[in-house]
Amino acid sequence: MVILTPAEHRALERLEERERPLRRGGALIRENDRTTEMFVLRRGTMMSSVLLDDGSRQILRFLFPGDMLAVSSLVYRESPETITALTDCVVCPFERSAMASLIRDHPRLAALIMVYNQIERAALTDRLAALGRTSAKARVAAILIEMRNRLRMMDKEIGASFTLGLTQEEIGDATGLTAVHVNRMLRQLEEDGLIAREAGRVTFHNERALARAANYVDRYAGLDLSWLPSAS
Amino acid sequence: MVILTPAEHRALERLEERERPLRRGGALIRENDRTTEMFVLRRGTMMSSVLLDDGSRQILRFLFPGDMLAVSSLVYRESPETITALTDCVVCPFERSAMASLIRDHPRLAALIMVYNQIERAALTDRLAALGRTSAKARVAAILIEMRNRLRMMDKEIGASFTLGLTQEEIGDATGLTAVHVNRMLRQLEEDGLIAREAGRVTFHNERALARAANYVDRYAGLDLSWLPSAS
DNA sequence: CGAATCCTTGAGAGATGTCAAGCATGGTGG
DNA sequence: CCACCATGCTTGACATCTCTCAAGGATTCG
C-alpha cells in the first residue's frame, strides 16, 4: 500500500527488537498501572477493556498482529485500560521515548501512525454507534463479521468459516450484552439461516444479509493516502 | 503545559489563516462527502454524528474551540461522519497536505497532535463503556458533566451552573436513548437532588454524587508529556 | 474421574422504547 | 400587537427488549 524506504524499515524493526511472551489469559497492562512502555503485537490475539465500578467489564477493542498496544501511555501516567491475551501471544515492548525519535527522524512513519490511529478511531465510532443505536442481534452479528475480517487479514485461507476464539461472555462484554442474551442472539442468527455453529467454529451462510443486519462498514477500505509526505 | 517555539506558533497559525462562518444547524461535512480538507474550530460548538440505516442518529462527539475537525479526511476518501454546528460557528479550513509539511517540519507538533488524538480516543472509549455498561441515568449524568467541563475550559467563569445548549433529543442521540427517556432521567436527577433545571440552564447541586453516578473520569487530567521530543 | 468452565434454556422482572396527547415557548407574518 | 406555527418539553399507558436468576448439560483439563 505504501512502500517504505530501507531506513524506515530499519526504524520499525528497531521497535521490535525485544520480545516478550504472554500466556493465554495473562494481563499485559492493568487499568491504573503506571507504565511508559508501548508494544507491538507480534503473534496472537488480545483485547483491551475497562472495568466499571459495579464490576462489569466493557471490551473496547480486539487486537491482532501488527497492532500497536498501550499507545495511551504516550499521554497518561496511568493506563486507562487493561490489555489481556486471548491466546498465547508475543509482544515487542519499546519505550515511548523511541516514539519521540521516530517522529523526529521519520516524518512519513509519524504520518502513517496517525493514519493508523484514525482507522482505529473509525472502528471505535462504529462500535459506539452500534452500542447506542442497534439491536442486540445486530451487535452480535457485527462482532462476528469484524472478527472474521481481522482474522482473515492474518490468514488469507480463511473464508466463510472460522474459529471465533471468544467466549459468549466476552462477546457480551464487547457488545454491552449479557452472556445469556448473546447465546439467544447467536441461536436466532442460526435460526435465521445467517450462520451455523459447531464446536467453536462459525460459518457464514449468508454473508450479505449478515453484513446488512450488522450495519457493517469495512474501515480498512476506502483509504486515500496520497497526501503523505514523500519518501525522503 | 507545553511551551511552543516561535516557529511552532507560526506553523499552527498558518493552519488558521482562513476563516469560514457557519450558521447554527448548518452542516460542515456530511457523511460520504468527498473532502480533503481539515478544520480547526475557532468559535462555537459543533457535533459529529453518524446516521444509521433505520434513520436513527448517534452523536459521536461534541466539539469545542481548539478542536481539530474532520481529521478522518487524512485517511478516508469519503467522510465517515457528519459534522454540524450546534451554535453559530467559525472554522478555519486547511488542506490535509498542510498536515504533511507540518509533520515533516515540526516533529514536536506532530507528537502533540498524537497526544491530542489519544485524549480524544480516551473520551470515546469512556463513552463506549458508558453506552455498553451503564444505566440511562448514568449516561445522562455523564453528558451533563462532560459538557460543563468542556464549556468551562473556554470560560473560566462557569461554575456549577451553565447553559447546556442541547435539546433532549440531542442528549438522547449522544447517549443512545430516546428523547422521552432522557426527559424522565433528567427529572429523576432533579428529584434525587443532584441537579436543578430552569429555562435551559442546568445547576449541579451535588457534583460529587453526580460524578459518581456517572462514572466520570476527566481525560484532560493525569497527562504526562515528558517524553516529547525537545524543542529544536 | 472430578472440577472448572462454558453453553443452553426457561420463567419472570426490570429497564427502556413507542405512541399519543397536551403544554410551553419563541419566532414570524399579517 | 396579535395570532399562529414550529419546535421542544412533559406525562401517561402500554409494549418490547434485555436482564436476572436458576438449573441442567456439555466440554475441557488436570
Side-chain angles (χ1 to χ4, degrees), chain B residues 166-169 180 183-184 187 197:
Chain B
L166 298 175
T167 66
Q168 294 181 355
E169 179 160 10
V180 172
N183 182 286
R184 292 196 242 265
R187 162 167 320 289
R197 294 180 298 152

Short mmCIF file of all heavy atoms in Angstrom, two decimals, chain B residues 166-169 180 183-184 187 197, chain D residues 7-14 19:
data_model
loop_
_atom_site.label_atom_id
_atom_site.label_comp_id
_atom_site.label_asym_id
_atom_site.label_seq_id
_atom_site.Cartn_x
_atom_site.Cartn_y
_atom_site.Cartn_z
N LEU B 166 -28.21 21.96 24.45
CA LEU B 166 -28.60 20.76 23.70
C LEU B 166 -30.09 20.52 23.91
O LEU B 166 -30.61 20.74 25.01
CB LEU B 166 -27.85 19.53 24.23
CG LEU B 166 -26.33 19.51 24.13
CD1 LEU B 166 -25.78 18.28 24.80
CD2 LEU B 166 -25.91 19.56 22.67
N THR B 167 -30.76 20.03 22.88
CA THR B 167 -32.13 19.59 23.09
C THR B 167 -32.10 18.21 23.72
O THR B 167 -31.08 17.52 23.70
CB THR B 167 -32.89 19.49 21.76
OG1 THR B 167 -32.31 18.45 20.99
CG2 THR B 167 -32.81 20.80 20.99
N GLN B 168 -33.22 17.81 24.27
CA GLN B 168 -33.27 16.48 24.88
C GLN B 168 -33.11 15.40 23.82
O GLN B 168 -32.59 14.31 24.10
CB GLN B 168 -34.57 16.33 25.66
CG GLN B 168 -34.61 17.28 26.85
CD GLN B 168 -35.86 17.16 27.69
OE1 GLN B 168 -36.79 16.42 27.34
NE2 GLN B 168 -35.91 17.89 28.79
N GLU B 169 -33.51 15.72 22.61
CA GLU B 169 -33.29 14.75 21.54
C GLU B 169 -31.80 14.58 21.26
O GLU B 169 -31.32 13.47 21.02
CB GLU B 169 -34.01 15.20 20.27
CG GLU B 169 -33.78 14.23 19.13
CD GLU B 169 -34.83 14.36 18.05
OE1 GLU B 169 -35.64 15.32 18.11
OE2 GLU B 169 -34.85 13.50 17.16
N VAL B 180 -37.73 10.97 25.00
CA VAL B 180 -38.69 10.79 26.09
C VAL B 180 -37.99 10.27 27.35
O VAL B 180 -38.22 10.76 28.47
CB VAL B 180 -39.81 9.82 25.68
CG1 VAL B 180 -40.68 9.47 26.87
CG2 VAL B 180 -40.64 10.43 24.57
N ASN B 183 -35.82 12.81 29.07
CA ASN B 183 -36.64 13.70 29.90
C ASN B 183 -36.89 13.08 31.28
O ASN B 183 -36.73 13.74 32.31
CB ASN B 183 -37.96 13.96 29.17
CG ASN B 183 -38.85 14.90 29.93
OD1 ASN B 183 -39.44 14.52 30.94
ND2 ASN B 183 -38.95 16.13 29.48
N ARG B 184 -37.24 11.82 31.29
CA ARG B 184 -37.50 11.17 32.59
C ARG B 184 -36.24 11.10 33.45
O ARG B 184 -36.28 11.28 34.67
CB ARG B 184 -38.02 9.75 32.34
CG ARG B 184 -39.40 9.73 31.71
CD ARG B 184 -40.02 8.34 31.84
NE ARG B 184 -40.28 7.75 30.55
CZ ARG B 184 -41.45 7.81 29.91
NH1 ARG B 184 -42.46 8.46 30.43
NH2 ARG B 184 -41.61 7.22 28.75
N ARG B 187 -35.53 14.38 34.99
CA ARG B 187 -36.42 14.60 36.13
C ARG B 187 -35.95 13.82 37.35
O ARG B 187 -35.93 14.33 38.47
CB ARG B 187 -37.84 14.15 35.76
CG ARG B 187 -38.76 13.91 36.94
CD ARG B 187 -40.20 13.78 36.53
NE ARG B 187 -40.48 14.75 35.50
CZ ARG B 187 -40.55 16.04 35.71
NH1 ARG B 187 -40.40 16.50 36.94
NH2 ARG B 187 -40.75 16.85 34.74
N ARG B 197 -32.99 22.52 37.14
CA ARG B 197 -33.10 22.99 35.76
C ARG B 197 -34.06 24.16 35.71
O ARG B 197 -35.08 24.17 36.39
CB ARG B 197 -33.67 21.89 34.87
CG ARG B 197 -32.79 20.69 34.74
CD ARG B 197 -33.45 19.68 33.84
NE ARG B 197 -34.71 19.19 34.39
CZ ARG B 197 -35.73 18.74 33.67
NH1 ARG B 197 -35.65 18.75 32.35
NH2 ARG B 197 -36.84 18.30 34.23
P DT D 7 -40.10 22.70 12.67
OP1 DT D 7 -38.93 22.80 11.80
OP2 DT D 7 -41.09 21.61 12.54
"O5'" DT D 7 -39.58 22.70 14.17
"C5'" DT D 7 -38.87 23.82 14.67
"C4'" DT D 7 -38.80 23.74 16.17
"O4'" DT D 7 -40.12 23.95 16.72
"C3'" DT D 7 -38.36 22.37 16.69
"O3'" DT D 7 -37.09 22.56 17.30
"C2'" DT D 7 -39.43 21.96 17.68
"C1'" DT D 7 -40.18 23.26 17.93
N1 DT D 7 -41.62 23.12 18.27
C2 DT D 7 -42.09 23.66 19.45
O2 DT D 7 -41.36 24.24 20.23
N3 DT D 7 -43.43 23.49 19.67
C4 DT D 7 -44.34 22.85 18.85
O4 DT D 7 -45.52 22.78 19.16
C5 DT D 7 -43.80 22.32 17.63
C7 DT D 7 -44.70 21.62 16.67
C6 DT D 7 -42.48 22.47 17.40
P DG D 8 -36.29 21.27 17.87
OP1 DG D 8 -34.86 21.59 17.80
OP2 DG D 8 -36.83 20.05 17.25
"O5'" DG D 8 -36.72 21.27 19.41
"C5'" DG D 8 -36.48 22.42 20.19
"C4'" DG D 8 -37.24 22.29 21.48
"O4'" DG D 8 -38.65 22.26 21.20
"C3'" DG D 8 -36.93 21.00 22.25
"O3'" DG D 8 -36.52 21.38 23.55
"C2'" DG D 8 -38.25 20.26 22.26
"C1'" DG D 8 -39.25 21.39 22.13
N9 DG D 8 -40.57 21.00 21.63
C8 DG D 8 -40.86 20.39 20.43
N7 DG D 8 -42.14 20.17 20.27
C5 DG D 8 -42.72 20.65 21.42
C6 DG D 8 -44.08 20.70 21.82
O6 DG D 8 -45.06 20.29 21.22
N1 DG D 8 -44.23 21.28 23.07
C2 DG D 8 -43.20 21.77 23.85
N2 DG D 8 -43.54 22.31 25.03
N3 DG D 8 -41.93 21.75 23.49
C4 DG D 8 -41.76 21.17 22.27
P DC D 9 -36.08 20.27 24.61
OP1 DC D 9 -34.97 20.88 25.38
OP2 DC D 9 -35.91 18.97 23.93
"O5'" DC D 9 -37.34 20.16 25.58
"C5'" DC D 9 -37.72 21.32 26.29
"C4'" DC D 9 -38.99 21.02 27.06
"O4'" DC D 9 -40.02 20.69 26.12
"C3'" DC D 9 -38.88 19.83 28.01
"O3'" DC D 9 -39.17 20.30 29.31
"C2'" DC D 9 -39.90 18.82 27.51
"C1'" DC D 9 -40.84 19.69 26.68
N1 DC D 9 -41.53 19.02 25.55
C2 DC D 9 -42.91 18.86 25.60
O2 DC D 9 -43.51 19.26 26.61
N3 DC D 9 -43.54 18.28 24.56
C4 DC D 9 -42.85 17.87 23.50
N4 DC D 9 -43.52 17.31 22.48
C5 DC D 9 -41.45 18.03 23.41
C6 DC D 9 -40.82 18.61 24.45
P DT D 10 -39.06 19.37 30.58
OP1 DT D 10 -38.94 20.26 31.75
OP2 DT D 10 -38.05 18.35 30.29
"O5'" DT D 10 -40.48 18.65 30.65
"C5'" DT D 10 -41.62 19.42 30.93
"C4'" DT D 10 -42.83 18.53 30.98
"O4'" DT D 10 -43.14 18.06 29.66
"C3'" DT D 10 -42.67 17.26 31.83
"O3'" DT D 10 -43.56 17.37 32.93
"C2'" DT D 10 -43.03 16.11 30.90
"C1'" DT D 10 -43.75 16.81 29.76
N1 DT D 10 -43.65 16.20 28.42
C2 DT D 10 -44.79 15.84 27.77
O2 DT D 10 -45.91 15.97 28.26
N3 DT D 10 -44.59 15.31 26.52
C4 DT D 10 -43.40 15.11 25.87
O4 DT D 10 -43.36 14.63 24.74
C5 DT D 10 -42.23 15.51 26.61
C7 DT D 10 -40.87 15.33 26.00
C6 DT D 10 -42.40 16.03 27.83
P DT D 11 -43.48 16.40 34.16
OP1 DT D 11 -43.93 17.18 35.32
OP2 DT D 11 -42.19 15.71 34.17
"O5'" DT D 11 -44.60 15.31 33.81
"C5'" DT D 11 -45.86 15.75 33.33
"C4'" DT D 11 -46.65 14.57 32.81
"O4'" DT D 11 -46.34 14.35 31.43
"C3'" DT D 11 -46.39 13.24 33.50
"O3'" DT D 11 -47.53 12.91 34.26
"C2'" DT D 11 -46.12 12.24 32.38
"C1'" DT D 11 -46.54 13.00 31.13
N1 DT D 11 -45.75 12.69 29.92
C2 DT D 11 -46.40 12.42 28.75
O2 DT D 11 -47.61 12.40 28.66
N3 DT D 11 -45.57 12.17 27.68
C4 DT D 11 -44.19 12.15 27.69
O4 DT D 11 -43.55 11.91 26.67
C5 DT D 11 -43.57 12.45 28.96
C7 DT D 11 -42.08 12.46 29.08
C6 DT D 11 -44.36 12.71 30.01
P DG D 12 -47.69 11.49 34.97
OP1 DG D 12 -48.61 11.73 36.09
OP2 DG D 12 -46.38 10.87 35.19
"O5'" DG D 12 -48.45 10.61 33.88
"C5'" DG D 12 -49.77 10.98 33.48
"C4'" DG D 12 -50.35 9.91 32.59
"O4'" DG D 12 -49.61 9.90 31.34
"C3'" DG D 12 -50.25 8.49 33.15
"O3'" DG D 12 -51.50 7.84 32.98
"C2'" DG D 12 -49.15 7.83 32.32
"C1'" DG D 12 -49.23 8.58 31.00
N9 DG D 12 -47.96 8.69 30.29
C8 DG D 12 -46.75 9.07 30.81
N7 DG D 12 -45.79 9.09 29.91
C5 DG D 12 -46.42 8.68 28.74
C6 DG D 12 -45.90 8.51 27.45
O6 DG D 12 -44.74 8.68 27.05
N1 DG D 12 -46.87 8.09 26.54
C2 DG D 12 -48.18 7.87 26.86
N2 DG D 12 -48.97 7.47 25.87
N3 DG D 12 -48.69 8.03 28.07
C4 DG D 12 -47.75 8.44 28.96
P DA D 13 -51.76 6.38 33.58
OP1 DA D 13 -53.13 6.41 34.11
OP2 DA D 13 -50.62 5.97 34.43
"O5'" DA D 13 -51.73 5.48 32.26
"C5'" DA D 13 -52.42 5.92 31.10
"C4'" DA D 13 -52.30 4.86 30.02
"O4'" DA D 13 -51.06 5.06 29.31
"C3'" DA D 13 -52.24 3.42 30.55
"O3'" DA D 13 -52.90 2.58 29.61
"C2'" DA D 13 -50.74 3.14 30.63
"C1'" DA D 13 -50.24 3.91 29.40
N9 DA D 13 -48.86 4.38 29.50
C8 DA D 13 -48.17 4.78 30.61
N7 DA D 13 -46.94 5.16 30.38
C5 DA D 13 -46.80 4.98 29.00
C6 DA D 13 -45.73 5.20 28.13
N6 DA D 13 -44.54 5.67 28.52
N1 DA D 13 -45.92 4.94 26.82
C2 DA D 13 -47.12 4.47 26.43
N3 DA D 13 -48.21 4.23 27.16
C4 DA D 13 -47.97 4.51 28.45
P DC D 14 -53.11 1.03 29.93
OP1 DC D 14 -54.47 0.73 29.47
OP2 DC D 14 -52.67 0.73 31.31
"O5'" DC D 14 -52.10 0.34 28.91
"C5'" DC D 14 -52.11 0.75 27.54
"C4'" DC D 14 -50.83 0.29 26.89
"O4'" DC D 14 -49.72 1.02 27.43
"C3'" DC D 14 -50.50 -1.19 27.08
"O3'" DC D 14 -50.43 -1.75 25.79
"C2'" DC D 14 -49.17 -1.18 27.83
"C1'" DC D 14 -48.60 0.16 27.39
N1 DC D 14 -47.54 0.75 28.25
C2 DC D 14 -46.35 1.15 27.63
O2 DC D 14 -46.24 1.03 26.42
N3 DC D 14 -45.37 1.70 28.39
C4 DC D 14 -45.53 1.83 29.71
N4 DC D 14 -44.54 2.37 30.41
C5 DC D 14 -46.74 1.43 30.35
C6 DC D 14 -47.70 0.90 29.60
P DC D 19 -28.76 -7.37 28.10
OP1 DC D 19 -27.55 -6.57 28.39
OP2 DC D 19 -28.67 -8.65 27.40
"O5'" DC D 19 -29.52 -7.58 29.49
"C5'" DC D 19 -29.86 -6.43 30.25
"C4'" DC D 19 -30.35 -6.84 31.63
"O4'" DC D 19 -31.59 -7.55 31.51
"C3'" DC D 19 -29.39 -7.75 32.40
"O3'" DC D 19 -29.30 -7.26 33.73
"C2'" DC D 19 -30.04 -9.12 32.31
"C1'" DC D 19 -31.52 -8.77 32.21
N1 DC D 19 -32.36 -9.74 31.44
C2 DC D 19 -33.49 -10.31 32.03
O2 DC D 19 -33.78 -10.03 33.19
N3 DC D 19 -34.25 -11.15 31.30
C4 DC D 19 -33.92 -11.43 30.03
N4 DC D 19 -34.72 -12.27 29.35
C5 DC D 19 -32.77 -10.87 29.42
C6 DC D 19 -32.02 -10.04 30.14
#
